[in-house]
Amino acid sequence: KTASSVSQEWHHARIAIRELINAFDNNLWILGNHEGRLLRQMQSPLLPSDVKRLFVGDEPKVDIAPYYYAVVQSGNETWRVIHPKSSGRDDAQWYASKYLQHIVMCHSHHWMMSRDRSGRFYAISSGCVVDEARLPYVGQRDTKMHKHLLGATIIRQGKPWLLGEDSDWSVLSKLK
């Protein structure tokens, strides 16, 4: 079912966000193009913390980053989780080489894990959490663009776990 108003869309977003909150002890929300669009459309000096309050109130399990990226320390490794303006297929590799850090990139809707040119840093495009068939801009016009691929990334003890539709959840549930 597609939302017919902004209120309905926000209602569905709150339900989806609540599912994520319930699944994890700590959640870091990084601004993306959709939050940026919301902030611009409000034509008000809203801050990221205001966006958090709109969707999850004062939920203590959620922190919102003040920027379109966050730096994550895990297992003596530094990761930069980003939602840049660009969304090119190989952009995660470019950012890993630029920042000399492991990169988890959102926004491209691609799903892949590789390394930067040096071979030292992970370059991950984590996919997205959206049903492509419900996106009006996808259904209105045929394109040669790649399909939006479902996915997410978990970083544990400095190592990435790229999750997708065919992830083996029985094995992953045994990780500590």
Side-chain angles (χ1 to χ4, degrees):
K1 183 177 176 185
T2 301
S4 61
S5 69
V6 170
S7 294
Q8 276 190 337
E9 189 171 326
W10 286 16
H11 171 74
H12 291 296
R14 285 185 185 101
I15 291 170
I17 292 167
R18 179 56 50 193
E19 291 290 325
L20 289 170
I21 292 168
N22 291 338
F24 300 99
D25 294 332
N26 298 302
N27 299 272
L28 178 60
W29 186 343
I30 298 169
L31 295 176
N33 54 306
H34 297 274
E35 291 84 359
R37 191 175 306 127
L38 169 66
L39 292 171
R40 282 190 306 279
Q41 287 177 346
M42 298 293 276
Q43 295 182 357
S44 172
L46 286 178
L47 300 171
S49 57
D50 297 320
V51 173
K52 176 189 170 188
R53 255 191 309 285
L54 277 171
F55 288 93
V56 299
D58 291 323
E59 172 60 60
K61 290 172 52 175
V62 176
D63 287 316
I64 190 161
Y67 306 111
Y68 291 78
Y69 70 90
V71 176
V72 175
Q73 289 296 137
S74 175
N76 296 322
E77 296 289 335
T78 301
W79 289 81
R80 188 177 184 97
V81 182
I82 64 174
H83 194 127
K85 280 189 173 188
S86 67
S87 60
R89 189 161 177 81
D90 298 317
D91 285 0
Q93 292 167 319
W94 188 90
Y95 287 114
S97 293
K98 177 179 180 178
Y99 292 107
L100 302 176
Q101 294 175 327
H102 303 297
I103 295 290
V104 176
M105 181 178 157
C106 308
H107 193 200
S108 71
H109 307 165
H110 300 296
W111 186 84
M112 65 184 136
M113 180 165 50
S114 61
R115 297 278 186 154
D116 76 325
R117 288 177 176 209
S118 73
R120 182 170 173 210
F121 301 106
Y122 282 102
I124 298 173
S125 292
S126 63
C128 56
V129 184
V130 65
D131 179 356
E132 183 180 70
R134 298 171 102 183
L135 299 173
Y137 70 88
V138 174
Q140 291 173 344
R141 179 180 246 175
D142 293 337
T143 72
K144 295 189 293 182
M145 295 296 295
H146 294 272
K147 181 178 176 6
H148 292 67
L149 296 175
L150 294 177
T153 304
I154 293 176
I155 303 167
R156 298 285 297 264
Q157 300 171 356
K159 300 292 183 198
W161 297 86
L162 184 57
L163 309 174
E165 290 183 84
D166 57 352
S167 292
D168 188 339
W169 297 104
S170 62
V171 171
L172 290 170
S173 68
K174 296 175 186 169
L175 294 175
K176 298 216 187 259

